[in-house]
Amino acid sequence: MKEILYRSTRGGFSGVKASEAILQGLAEDGGLFVPESMPVLDVKLSDLAGKSYQEVAYEVMKLFLTDYSEEDLKYCISHAYDSKFDTAEIAPIKKADNAYYLELFHGSTIAFKDMALSILPYLMTTAARMNRIQDEIVILTATSGDTGKAALAGFADVPGTRIIVFFPDGGVSPIQKKQMVTQKGANCKVVAVKGNFDDCQTGVKNIFNDKAMKEEMAAGGFRFSSANSINIGRLVPQIVYYVYSYAELLKRGVIKDGDPLNIVVPTGNFGNILAAYYAKSIGVPLGKLICASNENKVLFDFFQTGAYDRNREFMLTSSPSMDILISSNLERLIYRIAGNDAEKNVAMMNALSNNGKYEITDEMKAQLSDFCAGFASEAETAQEISYMYQNADYIIDTHTAVASYVYRNYRETTGDTAPAVIASTASPYKFTRSVMTAIDEKYNAMEDFALVDALCELSGVKVPAAIEDIRSAEVLHTSVCEISQMEETVKAFLSL
């Protein structure tokens, strides 16, 4: 099998092995690691039809993680996708109305981040052993709600690691916050930041890029890595479920081998839809990749105009994991459509950093034909939840509702009736108040955990263990800091 090496989107590093890229998270020049060449799926999709999720995961991940042995990779996969998921299917696909909903929320924290963050600790600790790393690995993560808990659950009490999660104070749902602040584990730290997600994300990137901090860490026997979707070890596992979806719908006879399959993704940091783009790049005949935004529609505007402009009001919505104005993973796509030209990419990223905006060329824009975009307002998101409950007897969360609404609009305006998979990225149990009041305003008078019981009664879906576990869990993390105090907070946790 051809060895796949990685390079930074900012040109400073190349020839990096997968395990090294996973350990580093962010390249030292501030860039993101991308494959130097894109592998090709070396098994027929028809042969994957009927295979288990774990079997498909191996066939996809072995293409990208070529320095991992078969034994190591299969060990990571089998330990990640096990009884932590409440269904043997791992990622079941439910037909509802005119689409197929890929339920990515059956892991231990009931959000799609579990699909990658269940395996990342295994990939990372295996990589540390392969590269003879003695330092303690410090996972530094910013979250808009879901990554934080999924990363905490993955890394809690993993030997040789510590994890620090920053989340925007007041910018996550009550359930999301309760999940994080009750996290057990002597190696875990959770901190609320007085700012929004972009502030948290920028603060984390600044700490990563601080050379003096890096030297201080090394002297103390620590090294940083990331559990955010900037880590290629997060992105590769996400490619799997799009390949799995195509194979599963082949098995069901919904599509024939070679037929296009549209993919709809509620999008914030751009990692989840980029994984679909990578799946298409390795040979899966996906059709349109439909990027669905909420009222923070910076990505919708980018695909419409070719201009990325974060100079706008930051909206707090009912789909907080998409409340993002700086979509970090878009840099990987920009680098690619710039002809893998690091200089062009750096110029655009500098413009974003300095002026809050950049514009791609017409030549680059022409390479975005795989994508189209739409957005849903808060009212439209609520309407979609109600519509799906009333018409399909299927209750979806707010993020999935954004994608569902955008797809309904896309189908009506384009007439494209090719089968579509909608990435259902979170359980409705994670956003009970927004979901239940969208169905009926009367639920707004109820407290959060009464809403959980009402949702159970209405949906017939058992309350997930992730919710039951936090009903009476003790709050263990109460730290709050200013944006300017993030680095100081990290040092204090590490006793530097």
Side-chain angles (χ1 to χ4, degrees), residues 29-62:
D29 61 0
L32 308 187
F33 286 111
V34 292
E36 291 191 351
S37 60
M38 195 59 74
V40 177
L41 197 60
D42 60 358
V43 59
K44 290 180 181 175
L45 286 159
S46 55
D47 290 340
L48 292 180
K51 296 282 189 191
S52 70
Y53 191 88
Q54 294 86 340
E55 289 169 319
V56 174
Y58 176 71
E59 293 299 335
V60 174
M61 292 174 69
K62 72 176 188 185

PDB file of all heavy atoms in Angstrom, residues 29-62:
ATOM      1  N   ASP A  29       3.894  25.628  12.191  1.00  0.00           N
ATOM      2  CA  ASP A  29       3.781  26.901  11.463  1.00  0.00           C
ATOM      3  C   ASP A  29       2.355  27.456  11.510  1.00  0.00           C
ATOM      4  O   ASP A  29       2.033  28.434  10.840  1.00  0.00           O
ATOM      5  CB  ASP A  29       4.251  26.746  10.008  1.00  0.00           C
ATOM      6  CG  ASP A  29       3.425  25.724   9.222  1.00  0.00           C
ATOM      7  OD1 ASP A  29       2.489  25.139   9.799  1.00  0.00           O
ATOM      8  OD2 ASP A  29       3.722  25.514   8.034  1.00  0.00           O
ATOM      9  N   GLY A  30       1.492  26.824  12.309  1.00  0.00           N
ATOM     10  CA  GLY A  30       0.100  27.287  12.448  1.00  0.00           C
ATOM     11  C   GLY A  30      -0.842  26.681  11.440  1.00  0.00           C
ATOM     12  O   GLY A  30      -2.048  26.931  11.479  1.00  0.00           O
ATOM     13  N   GLY A  31      -0.308  25.864  10.523  1.00  0.00           N
ATOM     14  CA  GLY A  31      -1.144  25.252   9.494  1.00  0.00           C
ATOM     15  C   GLY A  31      -1.802  23.958   9.950  1.00  0.00           C
ATOM     16  O   GLY A  31      -1.550  23.463  11.058  1.00  0.00           O
ATOM     17  N   LEU A  32      -2.659  23.407   9.094  1.00  0.00           N
ATOM     18  CA  LEU A  32      -3.330  22.139   9.360  1.00  0.00           C
ATOM     19  C   LEU A  32      -2.696  21.061   8.487  1.00  0.00           C
ATOM     20  O   LEU A  32      -2.321  21.321   7.337  1.00  0.00           O
ATOM     21  CB  LEU A  32      -4.829  22.239   9.040  1.00  0.00           C
ATOM     22  CG  LEU A  32      -5.603  23.402   9.666  1.00  0.00           C
ATOM     23  CD1 LEU A  32      -7.090  23.240   9.387  1.00  0.00           C
ATOM     24  CD2 LEU A  32      -5.375  23.498  11.161  1.00  0.00           C
ATOM     25  N   PHE A  33      -2.581  19.863   8.998  1.00  0.00           N
ATOM     26  CA  PHE A  33      -1.996  18.774   8.215  1.00  0.00           C
ATOM     27  C   PHE A  33      -3.003  18.231   7.206  1.00  0.00           C
ATOM     28  O   PHE A  33      -4.168  17.996   7.546  1.00  0.00           O
ATOM     29  CB  PHE A  33      -1.516  17.650   9.135  1.00  0.00           C
ATOM     30  CG  PHE A  33      -0.256  17.982   9.877  1.00  0.00           C
ATOM     31  CD1 PHE A  33      -0.263  18.175  11.255  1.00  0.00           C
ATOM     32  CD2 PHE A  33       0.949  18.124   9.197  1.00  0.00           C
ATOM     33  CE1 PHE A  33       0.905  18.482  11.943  1.00  0.00           C
ATOM     34  CE2 PHE A  33       2.122  18.442   9.874  1.00  0.00           C
ATOM     35  CZ  PHE A  33       2.101  18.614  11.250  1.00  0.00           C
ATOM     36  N   VAL A  34      -2.537  18.053   5.971  1.00  0.00           N
ATOM     37  CA  VAL A  34      -3.349  17.461   4.901  1.00  0.00           C
ATOM     38  C   VAL A  34      -2.522  16.389   4.209  1.00  0.00           C
ATOM     39  O   VAL A  34      -1.285  16.455   4.206  1.00  0.00           O
ATOM     40  CB  VAL A  34      -3.798  18.519   3.853  1.00  0.00           C
ATOM     41  CG1 VAL A  34      -4.795  19.490   4.447  1.00  0.00           C
ATOM     42  CG2 VAL A  34      -2.602  19.266   3.270  1.00  0.00           C
ATOM     43  N   PRO A  35      -3.173  15.383   3.597  1.00  0.00           N
ATOM     44  CA  PRO A  35      -2.409  14.359   2.883  1.00  0.00           C
ATOM     45  C   PRO A  35      -1.643  14.974   1.705  1.00  0.00           C
ATOM     46  O   PRO A  35      -2.185  15.826   0.991  1.00  0.00           O
ATOM     47  CB  PRO A  35      -3.484  13.387   2.377  1.00  0.00           C
ATOM     48  CG  PRO A  35      -4.701  13.679   3.191  1.00  0.00           C
ATOM     49  CD  PRO A  35      -4.623  15.123   3.552  1.00  0.00           C
ATOM     50  N   GLU A  36      -0.391  14.536   1.511  1.00  0.00           N
ATOM     51  CA  GLU A  36       0.382  15.032   0.367  1.00  0.00           C
ATOM     52  C   GLU A  36      -0.210  14.519  -0.945  1.00  0.00           C
ATOM     53  O   GLU A  36      -0.078  15.159  -1.981  1.00  0.00           O
ATOM     54  CB  GLU A  36       1.850  14.621   0.509  1.00  0.00           C
ATOM     55  CG  GLU A  36       2.542  15.346   1.654  1.00  0.00           C
ATOM     56  CD  GLU A  36       4.046  15.179   1.660  1.00  0.00           C
ATOM     57  OE1 GLU A  36       4.579  14.355   0.881  1.00  0.00           O
ATOM     58  OE2 GLU A  36       4.707  15.882   2.453  1.00  0.00           O
ATOM     59  N   SER A  37      -0.837  13.357  -0.898  1.00  0.00           N
ATOM     60  CA  SER A  37      -1.596  12.842  -2.042  1.00  0.00           C
ATOM     61  C   SER A  37      -2.810  12.117  -1.480  1.00  0.00           C
ATOM     62  O   SER A  37      -2.761  11.594  -0.365  1.00  0.00           O
ATOM     63  CB  SER A  37      -0.743  11.889  -2.885  1.00  0.00           C
ATOM     64  OG  SER A  37      -0.313  10.791  -2.096  1.00  0.00           O
ATOM     65  N   MET A  38      -3.888  12.104  -2.241  1.00  0.00           N
ATOM     66  CA  MET A  38      -5.118  11.493  -1.747  1.00  0.00           C
ATOM     67  C   MET A  38      -5.136  10.019  -2.124  1.00  0.00           C
ATOM     68  O   MET A  38      -4.957   9.678  -3.287  1.00  0.00           O
ATOM     69  CB  MET A  38      -6.333  12.219  -2.340  1.00  0.00           C
ATOM     70  CG  MET A  38      -7.638  11.915  -1.644  1.00  0.00           C
ATOM     71  SD  MET A  38      -7.702  12.322   0.132  1.00  0.00           S
ATOM     72  CE  MET A  38      -7.826  14.098   0.111  1.00  0.00           C
ATOM     73  N   PRO A  39      -5.316   9.129  -1.154  1.00  0.00           N
ATOM     74  CA  PRO A  39      -5.387   7.705  -1.497  1.00  0.00           C
ATOM     75  C   PRO A  39      -6.668   7.385  -2.261  1.00  0.00           C
ATOM     76  O   PRO A  39      -7.558   8.227  -2.385  1.00  0.00           O
ATOM     77  CB  PRO A  39      -5.379   7.019  -0.127  1.00  0.00           C
ATOM     78  CG  PRO A  39      -5.970   8.024   0.807  1.00  0.00           C
ATOM     79  CD  PRO A  39      -5.538   9.369   0.282  1.00  0.00           C
ATOM     80  N   VAL A  40      -6.736   6.158  -2.766  1.00  0.00           N
ATOM     81  CA  VAL A  40      -7.924   5.707  -3.491  1.00  0.00           C
ATOM     82  C   VAL A  40      -8.457   4.459  -2.796  1.00  0.00           C
ATOM     83  O   VAL A  40      -7.686   3.567  -2.427  1.00  0.00           O
ATOM     84  CB  VAL A  40      -7.581   5.384  -4.973  1.00  0.00           C
ATOM     85  CG1 VAL A  40      -8.809   4.849  -5.702  1.00  0.00           C
ATOM     86  CG2 VAL A  40      -7.048   6.625  -5.674  1.00  0.00           C
ATOM     87  N   LEU A  41      -9.753   4.414  -2.602  1.00  0.00           N
ATOM     88  CA  LEU A  41     -10.392   3.255  -1.968  1.00  0.00           C
ATOM     89  C   LEU A  41     -10.040   2.006  -2.777  1.00  0.00           C
ATOM     90  O   LEU A  41     -10.281   1.959  -3.987  1.00  0.00           O
ATOM     91  CB  LEU A  41     -11.909   3.475  -1.926  1.00  0.00           C
ATOM     92  CG  LEU A  41     -12.735   2.607  -0.980  1.00  0.00           C
ATOM     93  CD1 LEU A  41     -12.299   2.790   0.469  1.00  0.00           C
ATOM     94  CD2 LEU A  41     -14.217   2.932  -1.122  1.00  0.00           C
ATOM     95  N   ASP A  42      -9.451   1.016  -2.125  1.00  0.00           N
ATOM     96  CA  ASP A  42      -8.951  -0.157  -2.861  1.00  0.00           C
ATOM     97  C   ASP A  42      -9.842  -1.382  -2.699  1.00  0.00           C
ATOM     98  O   ASP A  42      -9.426  -2.515  -2.932  1.00  0.00           O
ATOM     99  CB  ASP A  42      -7.502  -0.472  -2.450  1.00  0.00           C
ATOM    100  CG  ASP A  42      -7.367  -0.779  -0.962  1.00  0.00           C
ATOM    101  OD1 ASP A  42      -8.388  -0.704  -0.243  1.00  0.00           O
ATOM    102  OD2 ASP A  42      -6.246  -1.099  -0.520  1.00  0.00           O
ATOM    103  N   VAL A  43     -11.078  -1.150  -2.280  1.00  0.00           N
ATOM    104  CA  VAL A  43     -12.064  -2.225  -2.188  1.00  0.00           C
ATOM    105  C   VAL A  43     -13.351  -1.716  -2.821  1.00  0.00           C
ATOM    106  O   VAL A  43     -13.667  -0.523  -2.731  1.00  0.00           O
ATOM    107  CB  VAL A  43     -12.273  -2.648  -0.711  1.00  0.00           C
ATOM    108  CG1 VAL A  43     -12.756  -1.472   0.132  1.00  0.00           C
ATOM    109  CG2 VAL A  43     -13.237  -3.816  -0.585  1.00  0.00           C
ATOM    110  N   LYS A  44     -14.079  -2.599  -3.513  1.00  0.00           N
ATOM    111  CA  LYS A  44     -15.329  -2.181  -4.162  1.00  0.00           C
ATOM    112  C   LYS A  44     -16.368  -1.829  -3.107  1.00  0.00           C
ATOM    113  O   LYS A  44     -16.494  -2.509  -2.083  1.00  0.00           O
ATOM    114  CB  LYS A  44     -15.862  -3.310  -5.048  1.00  0.00           C
ATOM    115  CG  LYS A  44     -15.035  -3.571  -6.293  1.00  0.00           C
ATOM    116  CD  LYS A  44     -15.666  -4.704  -7.084  1.00  0.00           C
ATOM    117  CE  LYS A  44     -14.845  -5.003  -8.330  1.00  0.00           C
ATOM    118  NZ  LYS A  44     -15.373  -6.180  -9.040  1.00  0.00           N
ATOM    119  N   LEU A  45     -17.123  -0.770  -3.400  1.00  0.00           N
ATOM    120  CA  LEU A  45     -18.191  -0.388  -2.473  1.00  0.00           C
ATOM    121  C   LEU A  45     -19.210  -1.507  -2.331  1.00  0.00           C
ATOM    122  O   LEU A  45     -19.765  -1.724  -1.254  1.00  0.00           O
ATOM    123  CB  LEU A  45     -18.856   0.908  -2.951  1.00  0.00           C
ATOM    124  CG  LEU A  45     -17.995   2.160  -2.731  1.00  0.00           C
ATOM    125  CD1 LEU A  45     -18.432   3.287  -3.646  1.00  0.00           C
ATOM    126  CD2 LEU A  45     -18.055   2.604  -1.275  1.00  0.00           C
ATOM    127  N   SER A  46     -19.445  -2.250  -3.419  1.00  0.00           N
ATOM    128  CA  SER A  46     -20.386  -3.370  -3.358  1.00  0.00           C
ATOM    129  C   SER A  46     -19.884  -4.462  -2.406  1.00  0.00           C
ATOM    130  O   SER A  46     -20.673  -5.184  -1.795  1.00  0.00           O
ATOM    131  CB  SER A  46     -20.612  -3.956  -4.755  1.00  0.00           C
ATOM    132  OG  SER A  46     -19.375  -4.317  -5.347  1.00  0.00           O
ATOM    133  N   ASP A  47     -18.542  -4.563  -2.259  1.00  0.00           N
ATOM    134  CA  ASP A  47     -17.976  -5.533  -1.314  1.00  0.00           C
ATOM    135  C   ASP A  47     -18.088  -5.051   0.128  1.00  0.00           C
ATOM    136  O   ASP A  47     -18.025  -5.854   1.061  1.00  0.00           O
ATOM    137  CB  ASP A  47     -16.502  -5.811  -1.643  1.00  0.00           C
ATOM    138  CG  ASP A  47     -16.333  -6.590  -2.944  1.00  0.00           C
ATOM    139  OD1 ASP A  47     -17.316  -7.230  -3.380  1.00  0.00           O
ATOM    140  OD2 ASP A  47     -15.234  -6.546  -3.539  1.00  0.00           O
ATOM    141  N   LEU A  48     -18.228  -3.732   0.304  1.00  0.00           N
ATOM    142  CA  LEU A  48     -18.402  -3.188   1.657  1.00  0.00           C
ATOM    143  C   LEU A  48     -19.857  -3.264   2.121  1.00  0.00           C
ATOM    144  O   LEU A  48     -20.129  -3.183   3.316  1.00  0.00           O
ATOM    145  CB  LEU A  48     -17.925  -1.732   1.717  1.00  0.00           C
ATOM    146  CG  LEU A  48     -16.424  -1.485   1.561  1.00  0.00           C
ATOM    147  CD1 LEU A  48     -16.122   0.011   1.640  1.00  0.00           C
ATOM    148  CD2 LEU A  48     -15.630  -2.240   2.617  1.00  0.00           C
ATOM    149  N   ALA A  49     -20.780  -3.395   1.164  1.00  0.00           N
ATOM    150  CA  ALA A  49     -22.204  -3.483   1.507  1.00  0.00           C
ATOM    151  C   ALA A  49     -22.419  -4.715   2.386  1.00  0.00           C
ATOM    152  O   ALA A  49     -22.034  -5.827   2.029  1.00  0.00           O
ATOM    153  CB  ALA A  49     -23.044  -3.569   0.238  1.00  0.00           C
ATOM    154  N   GLY A  50     -22.987  -4.509   3.555  1.00  0.00           N
ATOM    155  CA  GLY A  50     -23.211  -5.625   4.466  1.00  0.00           C
ATOM    156  C   GLY A  50     -22.100  -5.821   5.470  1.00  0.00           C
ATOM    157  O   GLY A  50     -22.220  -6.621   6.405  1.00  0.00           O
ATOM    158  N   LYS A  51     -20.984  -5.087   5.306  1.00  0.00           N
ATOM    159  CA  LYS A  51     -19.886  -5.177   6.287  1.00  0.00           C
ATOM    160  C   LYS A  51     -20.255  -4.374   7.536  1.00  0.00           C
ATOM    161  O   LYS A  51     -21.048  -3.427   7.474  1.00  0.00           O
ATOM    162  CB  LYS A  51     -18.595  -4.606   5.694  1.00  0.00           C
ATOM    163  CG  LYS A  51     -18.066  -5.370   4.494  1.00  0.00           C
ATOM    164  CD  LYS A  51     -17.353  -6.630   4.903  1.00  0.00           C
ATOM    165  CE  LYS A  51     -16.648  -7.272   3.710  1.00  0.00           C
ATOM    166  NZ  LYS A  51     -16.159  -8.625   4.034  1.00  0.00           N
ATOM    167  N   SER A  52     -19.662  -4.733   8.641  1.00  0.00           N
ATOM    168  CA  SER A  52     -19.915  -4.001   9.881  1.00  0.00           C
ATOM    169  C   SER A  52     -19.251  -2.633   9.831  1.00  0.00           C
ATOM    170  O   SER A  52     -18.360  -2.389   8.998  1.00  0.00           O
ATOM    171  CB  SER A  52     -19.359  -4.779  11.083  1.00  0.00           C
ATOM    172  OG  SER A  52     -17.929  -4.761  11.052  1.00  0.00           O
ATOM    173  N   TYR A  53     -19.676  -1.762  10.740  1.00  0.00           N
ATOM    174  CA  TYR A  53     -19.066  -0.430  10.793  1.00  0.00           C
ATOM    175  C   TYR A  53     -17.567  -0.547  11.043  1.00  0.00           C
ATOM    176  O   TYR A  53     -16.759   0.158  10.426  1.00  0.00           O
ATOM    177  CB  TYR A  53     -19.723   0.424  11.892  1.00  0.00           C
ATOM    178  CG  TYR A  53     -19.307   1.872  11.813  1.00  0.00           C
ATOM    179  CD1 TYR A  53     -20.012   2.769  11.015  1.00  0.00           C
ATOM    180  CD2 TYR A  53     -18.180   2.331  12.488  1.00  0.00           C
ATOM    181  CE1 TYR A  53     -19.608   4.093  10.889  1.00  0.00           C
ATOM    182  CE2 TYR A  53     -17.770   3.656  12.372  1.00  0.00           C
ATOM    183  CZ  TYR A  53     -18.489   4.519  11.573  1.00  0.00           C
ATOM    184  OH  TYR A  53     -18.067   5.831  11.448  1.00  0.00           O
ATOM    185  N   GLN A  54     -17.187  -1.460  11.926  1.00  0.00           N
ATOM    186  CA  GLN A  54     -15.776  -1.635  12.262  1.00  0.00           C
ATOM    187  C   GLN A  54     -14.966  -2.098  11.048  1.00  0.00           C
ATOM    188  O   GLN A  54     -13.830  -1.650  10.844  1.00  0.00           O
ATOM    189  CB  GLN A  54     -15.629  -2.650  13.410  1.00  0.00           C
ATOM    190  CG  GLN A  54     -16.209  -2.175  14.740  1.00  0.00           C
ATOM    191  CD  GLN A  54     -17.705  -2.472  14.900  1.00  0.00           C
ATOM    192  OE1 GLN A  54     -18.419  -2.701  13.921  1.00  0.00           O
ATOM    193  NE2 GLN A  54     -18.177  -2.463  16.141  1.00  0.00           N
ATOM    194  N   GLU A  55     -15.546  -2.976  10.245  1.00  0.00           N
ATOM    195  CA  GLU A  55     -14.847  -3.475   9.051  1.00  0.00           C
ATOM    196  C   GLU A  55     -14.660  -2.363   8.020  1.00  0.00           C
ATOM    197  O   GLU A  55     -13.597  -2.227   7.410  1.00  0.00           O
ATOM    198  CB  GLU A  55     -15.616  -4.652   8.437  1.00  0.00           C
ATOM    199  CG  GLU A  55     -15.544  -5.917   9.266  1.00  0.00           C
ATOM    200  CD  GLU A  55     -16.505  -6.998   8.796  1.00  0.00           C
ATOM    201  OE1 GLU A  55     -17.666  -6.679   8.439  1.00  0.00           O
ATOM    202  OE2 GLU A  55     -16.116  -8.168   8.801  1.00  0.00           O
ATOM    203  N   VAL A  56     -15.697  -1.539   7.837  1.00  0.00           N
ATOM    204  CA  VAL A  56     -15.588  -0.406   6.911  1.00  0.00           C
ATOM    205  C   VAL A  56     -14.551   0.585   7.444  1.00  0.00           C
ATOM    206  O   VAL A  56     -13.737   1.130   6.675  1.00  0.00           O
ATOM    207  CB  VAL A  56     -16.956   0.287   6.705  1.00  0.00           C
ATOM    208  CG1 VAL A  56     -16.810   1.544   5.850  1.00  0.00           C
ATOM    209  CG2 VAL A  56     -17.957  -0.675   6.061  1.00  0.00           C
ATOM    210  N   ALA A  57     -14.562   0.811   8.759  1.00  0.00           N
ATOM    211  CA  ALA A  57     -13.598   1.745   9.361  1.00  0.00           C
ATOM    212  C   ALA A  57     -12.168   1.322   9.045  1.00  0.00           C
ATOM    213  O   ALA A  57     -11.323   2.157   8.693  1.00  0.00           O
ATOM    214  CB  ALA A  57     -13.810   1.822  10.873  1.00  0.00           C
ATOM    215  N   TYR A  58     -11.879   0.046   9.142  1.00  0.00           N
ATOM    216  CA  TYR A  58     -10.516  -0.416   8.846  1.00  0.00           C
ATOM    217  C   TYR A  58     -10.156  -0.155   7.385  1.00  0.00           C
ATOM    218  O   TYR A  58      -9.056   0.339   7.088  1.00  0.00           O
ATOM    219  CB  TYR A  58     -10.350  -1.905   9.177  1.00  0.00           C
ATOM    220  CG  TYR A  58      -8.978  -2.394   8.775  1.00  0.00           C
ATOM    221  CD1 TYR A  58      -7.843  -2.001   9.488  1.00  0.00           C
ATOM    222  CD2 TYR A  58      -8.800  -3.199   7.648  1.00  0.00           C
ATOM    223  CE1 TYR A  58      -6.574  -2.404   9.100  1.00  0.00           C
ATOM    224  CE2 TYR A  58      -7.538  -3.608   7.249  1.00  0.00           C
ATOM    225  CZ  TYR A  58      -6.431  -3.199   7.971  1.00  0.00           C
ATOM    226  OH  TYR A  58      -5.170  -3.577   7.570  1.00  0.00           O
ATOM    227  N   GLU A  59     -11.059  -0.471   6.470  1.00  0.00           N
ATOM    228  CA  GLU A  59     -10.767  -0.308   5.040  1.00  0.00           C
ATOM    229  C   GLU A  59     -10.512   1.154   4.667  1.00  0.00           C
ATOM    230  O   GLU A  59      -9.728   1.444   3.765  1.00  0.00           O
ATOM    231  CB  GLU A  59     -11.918  -0.871   4.178  1.00  0.00           C
ATOM    232  CG  GLU A  59     -12.094  -2.374   4.264  1.00  0.00           C
ATOM    233  CD  GLU A  59     -10.876  -3.161   3.784  1.00  0.00           C
ATOM    234  OE1 GLU A  59     -10.087  -2.632   2.971  1.00  0.00           O
ATOM    235  OE2 GLU A  59     -10.704  -4.314   4.228  1.00  0.00           O
ATOM    236  N   VAL A  60     -11.164   2.068   5.362  1.00  0.00           N
ATOM    237  CA  VAL A  60     -10.975   3.502   5.079  1.00  0.00           C
ATOM    238  C   VAL A  60      -9.743   4.037   5.802  1.00  0.00           C
ATOM    239  O   VAL A  60      -8.880   4.689   5.198  1.00  0.00           O
ATOM    240  CB  VAL A  60     -12.227   4.316   5.495  1.00  0.00           C
ATOM    241  CG1 VAL A  60     -11.976   5.817   5.345  1.00  0.00           C
ATOM    242  CG2 VAL A  60     -13.438   3.897   4.663  1.00  0.00           C
ATOM    243  N   MET A  61      -9.625   3.743   7.074  1.00  0.00           N
ATOM    244  CA  MET A  61      -8.560   4.358   7.881  1.00  0.00           C
ATOM    245  C   MET A  61      -7.167   3.845   7.526  1.00  0.00           C
ATOM    246  O   MET A  61      -6.183   4.570   7.626  1.00  0.00           O
ATOM    247  CB  MET A  61      -8.870   4.179   9.370  1.00  0.00           C
ATOM    248  CG  MET A  61     -10.099   4.987   9.786  1.00  0.00           C
ATOM    249  SD  MET A  61     -10.635   4.716  11.482  1.00  0.00           S
ATOM    250  CE  MET A  61      -9.302   5.480  12.355  1.00  0.00           C
ATOM    251  N   LYS A  62      -7.087   2.591   7.034  1.00  0.00           N
ATOM    252  CA  LYS A  62      -5.771   2.060   6.653  1.00  0.00           C
ATOM    253  C   LYS A  62      -5.180   2.847   5.474  1.00  0.00           C
ATOM    254  O   LYS A  62      -3.965   2.907   5.313  1.00  0.00           O
ATOM    255  CB  LYS A  62      -5.876   0.582   6.273  1.00  0.00           C
ATOM    256  CG  LYS A  62      -6.572   0.344   4.929  1.00  0.00           C
ATOM    257  CD  LYS A  62      -6.586  -1.107   4.498  1.00  0.00           C
ATOM    258  CE  LYS A  62      -7.116  -1.217   3.077  1.00  0.00           C
ATOM    259  NZ  LYS A  62      -7.261  -2.615   2.622  1.00  0.00           N
TER     260      LYS A  62
END
